[in-house]
Amino acid sequence: RRRSLDVRGIDGLVSPVTGFYEVDVDAVNPDVGVADWSLAVTGAVAQDVEVSYDDLTAMAPAHHFSTLRCVGESLNGDKMDNALWTGVPAGHLLDRAGVGADATHVVLHAADGFYEEFPLDALRGGLLAYGMNGRLLPRSHGFPVRALVPGHWGEVNVKWLTEVEVIAGERTGFWEVRGWHGTGPVNTVAKLHAVNRLRDGRIQVGGHAYAGTRGVRSVQVSTDGGETWSAASLSAPLPDADVWRQWAFEYEPPNGEHEVVVRAVDGEGATQPRDRSVAFPSGPTGWVSRRVSP
């Protein structure tokens, strides 16, 4: 909490579990018991590895902040959240299995039949999570174990994980079969979710910015429809790479209605692109804007 900005109308840097967005392919989530659950690493490996829930949770835990964003959300939508996750680095199990020299990709399989494919190297830096915000992973977020893949869209962070299949070459994932490009890297975005009238007559605007593992270097705000820009205040960075930051900006309002526009600059110096696109097939892009009355 000490790292969060005090902006009314937006979450702090850690989203509450009950408000964390969910997107699932079935109307009812799987109810997976730990006694019957196991996780297998198969495919292009030296040896198949299978671990139980007790095996996994007995390993040295890692704790990482990680932000998830849905590829199918609207540009200024609310399907983006951040949590502190507890689990085991995925690379530990990959090393135990002995990944083959020709292996390039992985397919993650879930208890409900869902699956997604993405590059092997992306999973090496990922987490096999069994905890969320200091508690057991809720059923709605993949209990007993889910994957967290840094810098990729939320879809590939498979819940109710049962198998990591290592493959040589590419394979079409669940959402890709349906025309989506849901792997990564995620698109840079600064969202504008708060407009607050301050007691001194100024207006405060704020939201969150996210650029995957590239990080957020700055957020720029225009109060004249994109003609001129000023730097917003940013929350202190969290210790992990794949996380959002809060931003806030206060200004003296002009006379009459005006357009506030925001854009983020990622850690590599690239600015959030101006051109707008809808979510399908590769995630929404564009500057976020909002008409504001004084």
Side-chain angles (χ1 to χ4, degrees):
R1 291 182 179 179
R2 291 192 302 271
R3 292 175 180 260
S4 297
L5 299 178
D6 184 16
V7 180
R8 187 175 72 254
I10 65 172
D11 282 344
L13 288 175
V14 177
S15 305
V17 173
T18 53
F20 202 107
Y21 88 88
E22 300 173 41
V23 175
D24 302 308
V25 297
D26 296 312
V28 179
N29 292 329
D31 188 4
V32 183
V34 295
D36 301 322
W37 178 89
S38 64
L39 175 62
V41 182
T42 66
V45 294
Q47 61 178 353
D48 289 358
V49 169
E50 186 169 358
V51 294
S52 68
Y53 185 77
D54 288 343
D55 293 334
L56 194 72
T57 56
M59 299 177 188
H63 309 278
H64 294 296
F65 292 100
S66 185
T67 299
L68 298 181
R69 183 186 178 199
C70 178
V71 69
E73 72 157 357
S74 61
L75 180 60
N76 199 38
D78 57 5
K79 289 184 172 63
M80 184 174 81
D81 285 294
N82 185 68
L84 176 62
W85 309 88
T86 300
V88 173
H92 288 187
L93 290 190
L94 293 173
D95 290 343
R96 183 184 294 188
V99 173
D102 59 344
T104 60
H105 290 73
V106 294
V107 182
L108 300 187
H109 298 270
D112 63 348
F114 181 70
Y115 62 96
E116 269 300 349
E117 175 265 8
F118 53 90
L120 170 65
D121 287 345
L123 183 62
R124 282 200 174 277
L127 192 70
L128 306 175
Y130 54 79
M132 183 180 184
N133 289 351
R135 300 182 179 182
L136 282 179
L137 192 67
R139 175 183 172 187
S140 60
H141 289 287
F143 181 85
V145 174
R146 73 172 300 165
L148 291 170
V149 185
H152 285 248
W153 294 101
E155 284 68 330
V156 305
N157 296 264
V158 173
K159 299 188 279 190
W160 313 289
L161 185 64
T162 59
E163 182 184 359
V164 176
E165 181 187 4
V166 181
I167 60 175
E170 296 186 57
R171 189 182 301 171
T172 307
F174 180 94
W175 285 114
E176 286 68 33
V177 169
R178 290 152 178 82
W180 290 87
H181 177 71
T183 52
V186 295
N187 299 333
T188 299
V189 68
K191 293 174 178 283
L192 200 175
H193 284 160
V195 178
N196 299 318
R197 274 74 181 178
L198 305 180
R199 291 183 177 180
D200 61 7
R202 293 180 302 156
I203 292 178
Q204 178 192 60
V205 289
H208 294 87
Y210 177 55
T213 55
R214 301 181 301 280
V216 175
R217 178 181 297 180
S218 64
V219 170
Q220 300 169 348
V221 181
S222 172
T223 60
D224 55 12
E227 294 296 323
T228 60
W229 297 88
S230 300
S233 299
L234 290 178
S235 59
L238 292 169
D240 298 299
D242 186 33
V243 291
W244 66 11
R245 297 178 76 173
Q246 292 173 306
W247 65 269
F249 182 73
E250 294 84 33
Y251 65 97
E252 297 287 345
N255 294 325
E257 188 179 64
H258 54 284
E259 184 181 20
V260 177
V261 188
V262 296
R263 64 188 185 187
V265 178
D266 71 19
E268 298 175 355
T271 301
Q272 179 178 336
R274 180 174 188 168
D275 292 342
R276 281 181 170 256
S277 69
V278 297
F280 185 84
S282 301
T285 61
W287 294 349
V288 173
S289 63
R290 185 165 170 178
R291 302 295 299 180
V292 175
S293 299

